[in-house]
Amino acid sequence: MDALVFPGMGPTKFADLGRFLLLNPQARQLVAAADTRLGYPLADRFAEAEGDYSEYAQVAFFVACLALAEWAEAELGVEPVACAGPSFGEKPAAVRAGSLSFEDGVWLTARLARCLEEYFAVEHRDVVTHSFARVPEERVRELVDELAGRGGWSEISCFVDRDLFMVSLREPELDWLKRSVRSLGGLSLYTMRPPMHASVFDGLRRKAAEEAIGELEFAAPQLPLLADQDGSLVEDGAGVRSMLLDSFVRPMHWPAVVGGLRGLGVERVCVAGPDSLFGRVGCTTSAFEVVSATPWLAVQPRRRTSSAGR
């Protein structure tokens, strides 16, 4: 049995998605629908945008994920019995599960991007989220405790794999964390701005509820949808709303989602979207056959087998 997984969003520029959005039939149709809902040409704004997480980059990533899911179902024979979306992937997952229309998902993605920009322009300006690998969970918890003992603050924001984590902390402590990770034989990967998934962002949760998520109606998922915080099934529209809001203040736990998918009998996952993480980590590859539906793959000419000479 198959599941669709919509990945978390990494740094995204027009060069990463532009060709796919302009050439792929599924993407072109969804971009046109997004243009109508937004009131501006998404591809043009995306091409001109600066930064890795602009409103236009986020909407483009959202659109690309759903277009790639359609492409994978049509061209790769993917037949999902469930779906999940770690971190940013919650939004396209909610749409594919039938809880939210595509047009409302586009509006929500754009509005939440503005909420993030407005909130972090004023609040928690010194907080970042740092990712690193090759450190087991017990050592990560020790680092968090040690930093607290030094008078600092940090939280585990993402459990990505058995030895891959993201920790939110204040930027002045970042060099200390990098040195500590290195002393444990770990490898620092990337530092995210804006940060994500920490209990101190309760103000952002309230802002998102008031200015974006609270304005929409969520239906009960028609395709089983797993919450990225703990891998539990989201059974109704209120649960989808809570999942999206809780994402601001609760950590993402991908191994728990893997366990939830296995509990549903899933044997193969299709990661629909630009992904260099969730389809590659050990907890995913050891549990499932992984099919990657990427923008690059979807714009390649289809290979046809000739019967000539047979």
Side-chain angles (χ1 to χ4, degrees), residues 96-110:
R96 179 59 185 85
S99 181
L100 196 64
S101 71
F102 171 78
E103 289 78 10
D104 280 350
V106 165
W107 181 88
L108 176 64
T109 301

Side-chain angles (χ1 to χ4, degrees), residues 181-210:
V181 166
R182 189 164 55 247
S183 72
L184 294 170
L187 176 66
S188 286
L189 299 174
Y190 180 72
T191 302
M192 289 191 64
R193 299 176 180 84
M196 62 172 125
H197 311 312
S199 62
V200 296
F201 303 150
D202 55 331
L204 177 58
R205 188 188 194 279
R206 291 193 299 272
K207 181 178 177 67
E210 294 169 0

